[in-house]
Amino acid sequence: MARKRKGRDLHGWLVVDKPAGITSTSVVNKVKWALDAKKAGHAGTLDPDATGVLAVALGEATKTVPYITDALKAYTFTVRLGQKTNTDDAEGEITAQSDTRPTDDEIKAQLAQFVGDIMQTPPLFSAVKIDGERAYKRARDGEEFEIAARPLWVEELLLTDRPDVDHVTLEMTCGKGGYVRAIARDLGDALGCFGHVRELRRVWSGPFDAKDGVTLDQLDTHAKTDGLDHLILPLEAGLTDLPRVHCPESSVTKLRNGNPALVMGDVEYGDECWADHSGQAIAVGIFKSGELHPTRVFVRS
């Protein structure tokens, strides 16, 4: 007989304001422990030293993680000018230095090349897989390898502060798969002075904002109680970027069984959308000839 999974049937999103010094996976494990949740996962990894929004999906909400991962995200970060490191952040070894320090106007002039559709090469110390193995593991082992550049959409990149001659603070809004460390590295190279990330914070991710995030102290304080349940956002919060269609009562069972069913809404043939019945997401799928063809089905007790 299969062993019954322990924990509560929680379905929704908990936004955590992640502190520096802990991995994203560790945060998810802490949330799962504190809430006594059966299932949890996160949308979009943050580096251990980064802070800010880590959206943790609970239960059936884990099926909506790809839509948050694909959504726009905003970061604020400080670049240390004059130094290149092997990790492109302050944790790495300095590999090159320069006494050159660009002016604010020179920095602003270079930012334009990092906006729009760009090609970005991820850092060597990253989770990108090279022949089935994580790049950071190969880098730690001292292997020499290259990572292919990949497309990235950057909505906005702005200079917001210049604390001193060695540092500049930037804000960036971008799409899926962006590495802030790579932006700092490439900007430093373009300016002829080198650069790496000193501090990094994810301000928002899709519909989730850092100002609404719970802290690890709050998780500890309310662990194993229902003290944080009122902060759990509905599963549907992960679907805000998809159009919604109405699912009549007669279609609910069909969709939940993974079968096409009649829905109503202002969508076009081939659109991906989600079906709503009485305010609850029933399924995500592709709209064809008046029916939703499910690709993801939500089953909640």
Side-chain angles (χ1 to χ4, degrees), residues 13 43-45 53 55 64-75 152-155 172-178 202-209 236-242 272:
W13 290 89
T45 301
V53 172
T64 70
V65 163
Y67 304 107
I68 300 301
T69 303
D70 290 346
L72 288 176
K73 303 162 185 65
Y75 301 88
L152 170 67
W153 169 255
V154 178
E155 183 93 2
M172 180 174 74
T173 302
C174 68
K176 177 184 178 181
R202 185 154 62 195
V203 182
W204 54 263
S205 177
F208 306 125
D209 199 295
E236 290 74 17
L239 300 172
T240 54
D241 282 349
L242 287 181
E272 185 176 28

Side-chain angles (χ1 to χ4, degrees), residues 68-255:
I68 300 301
T69 303
D70 290 346
L72 288 176
K73 303 162 185 65
Y75 301 88
T76 179
F77 59 104
T78 299
V79 178
R80 169 57 160 96
L81 301 172
Q83 296 178 342
K84 179 191 286 284
T85 71
N86 61 344
T87 59
D88 301 320
D89 63 14
E91 289 300 301
E93 299 176 3
I94 296 174
T95 58
Q97 299 192 67
S98 171
D99 293 328
T100 300
R101 294 296 182 271
T103 66
D104 289 6
D105 287 341
E106 288 172 332
I107 294 172
K108 291 176 182 177
Q110 290 295 337
L111 293 181
Q113 67 178 290
F114 300 103
V115 177
D117 287 308
I118 69 171
M119 295 298 291
Q120 182 185 81
T121 302
L124 294 179
F125 284 82
S126 66
V128 173
K129 284 191 174 181
I130 307 295
D131 296 328
E133 191 171 25
R134 299 293 184 186
Y136 63 76
K137 187 178 187 306
R138 289 178 175 270
R140 287 172 182 166
D141 292 340
E143 294 185 32
E144 292 188 6
F145 60 95
E146 293 184 356
I147 301 178
R150 53 189 61 193
L152 170 67
W153 169 255
V154 178
E155 183 93 2
E156 191 173 53
L157 182 61
L158 301 172
L159 187 157
T160 59
D161 193 17
R162 186 74 182 268
D164 54 55
V165 70
D166 291 331
H167 298 86
V168 58
T169 301
L170 306 174
E171 288 185 1
M172 180 174 74
T173 302
C174 68
K176 177 184 178 181
Y179 281 91
V180 176
R181 286 181 288 144
I183 293 289
R185 175 200 66 205
D186 294 344
L187 176 62
D189 289 348
L191 290 166
C193 68
F194 307 123
H196 67 264
V197 169
R198 186 69 179 270
E199 295 178 349
L200 168 63
R201 180 170 177 77
R202 185 154 62 195
V203 182
W204 54 263
S205 177
F208 306 125
D209 199 295
K211 71 179 188 309
D212 301 320
V214 302
T215 65
L216 296 193
D217 285 343
Q218 285 177 291
L219 287 175
D220 285 331
T221 299
H222 298 285
K224 302 300 182 178
T225 74
D226 60 1
L228 293 175
D229 286 11
H230 69 287
L231 296 178
I232 298 175
L233 301 173
L235 176 157
E236 290 74 17
L239 300 172
T240 54
D241 282 349
L242 287 181
R244 176 171 59 178
V245 293
H246 173 67
C247 171
E249 182 68 38
S250 58
S251 295
V252 171
T253 300
K254 290 181 181 179
L255 289 178

